[in-house]
Amino acid sequence: MSRVVVEKKVLNENQILAEQLRERYRQNDVFCLNIISSPGSGKTSLLERTLERFPKDTRVAVLTGDIQTENDAIRLARAGFPVKQITTGGTCHLDARMIEKHLVGWDLGALDFLLVENVGNLVCPSSYDLGEHAKVVVLSVTEGDDKPLKYPSIFFKAELAVINKIDLLPYVPFDMAKARENIQKVHPGAEIIEVSCTTGAGLDQWLNWLEARREKAIGAPVR
């Protein structure tokens, strides 16, 4: 059996599980977001600031993926919300079966938000549907402003591009206008939010987007 056939079979099986997850989210009015970026772009910091700003009675849980360590789950759990680490053991992405396995023990009916932090990688995660309502791609200004052109698949599939670490703009050769132009070349009409998890700039806009996108998906405000 050729490698192409095997990969197609894996993706087909993943799609079946992803559809089952999507139906479970629909039945329980849970909004699921899949957050993707390269390593070091600040996904975990963005989630930390997000959880810190949520009211303590927010019905939210986080699944965070990493190749080896549980460091991200330890950081995120400090906010006091349910968090589970998915350690992939070398696999460069999360898949629907990993999500299904790690949802065991959680009552989806008790959640409004399920936030999934994918493994740091801009290639593999773009091929795997996790049943999410939307993908978000995070790009930091310490990376090249041509990243959208180098990794078009994930920038095309993501509804929102978050440009992170904007407090570092005075110190790096990142061209914001060029980055925005490149994102629009790959995904015309894509939404873009600029944030700094250090200064807090843009976080209100990010939280407003999150709440509005959930209401659009579920058809009702947060319970």
Side-chain angles (χ1 to χ4, degrees):
M1 185 178 293
S2 72
R3 179 178 176 180
V4 172
V5 173
V6 172
E7 289 182 348
K8 185 175 181 180
K9 181 180 178 183
V10 169
L11 288 172
N12 286 341
E13 291 175 351
N14 184 81
Q15 196 60 41
I16 292 170
L17 288 173
E19 294 299 338
Q20 293 172 357
L21 286 171
R22 204 175 339 270
E23 178 60 19
R24 290 177 63 188
Y25 301 150
R26 188 193 66 76
Q27 291 178 354
N28 290 282
D29 287 344
V30 181
F31 175 64
C32 179
L33 197 66
N34 181 6
I35 303 174
I36 298 168
S37 79
S38 57
S41 65
K43 292 189 304 301
T44 308
S45 295
L46 180 63
L47 282 171
E48 281 182 307
R49 301 292 90 77
T50 302
L51 296 177
E52 289 169 2
R53 288 179 174 233
F54 274 152
K56 293 303 179 186
D57 60 351
T58 302
R59 295 152 42 105
V60 58
V62 180
L63 294 175
T64 179
D66 199 3
I67 290 176
Q68 287 295 342
T69 75
E70 296 188 351
N71 294 348
D72 292 346
I74 293 170
R75 286 173 58 183
L76 294 170
R78 291 172 186 147
F81 297 105
V83 177
K84 286 185 183 178
Q85 181 77 54
I86 303 177
T87 305
T88 65
T91 302
C92 59
H93 60 84
L94 298 180
D95 61 33
R97 187 173 298 282
M98 296 176 193
I99 300 298
E100 179 188 49
K101 177 181 177 183
H102 285 80
L103 286 178
V104 173
W106 279 354
D107 177 9
L108 288 182
L111 297 178
D112 287 318
F113 295 96
L114 176 64
L115 305 178
V116 178
E117 179 185 13
N118 218 308
V119 176
N121 189 315
L122 285 176
V123 180
C124 305
S126 71
S127 298
Y128 286 82
D129 186 355
L130 306 182
E132 73 272 2
H133 290 90
K135 289 180 172 65
V136 170
V137 62
V138 180
L139 168 69
S140 82
V141 303
T142 55
E143 304 171 69
D145 46 47
D146 60 348
K147 274 284 178 70
L149 302 181
K150 289 184 173 180
Y151 303 94
S153 177
I154 185 54
F155 282 89
F156 176 74
K157 293 179 179 178
E159 288 190 19
L160 173 71
V162 175
I163 302 180
N164 193 17
K165 304 186 183 181
I166 60 172
D167 53 296
L168 298 179
L169 279 172
Y171 314 106
V172 296
F174 185 89
D175 186 329
M176 182 63 77
K178 197 68 178 176
R180 282 178 165 271
E181 178 184 330
N182 288 336
I183 291 169
Q184 295 300 326
K185 282 181 180 176
V186 173
H187 186 166
E191 295 184 75
I192 302 171
I193 297 177
E194 301 174 17
V195 306
S196 166
C197 294
T198 300
T199 67
L203 290 178
D204 286 344
Q205 189 181 359
W206 154 247
L207 289 169
N208 289 338
W209 182 91
L210 193 57
E211 188 167 337
R213 185 62 184 84
R214 182 197 177 278
E215 188 166 342
K216 178 182 176 183
I218 305 301
V222 172
R223 292 164 286 189

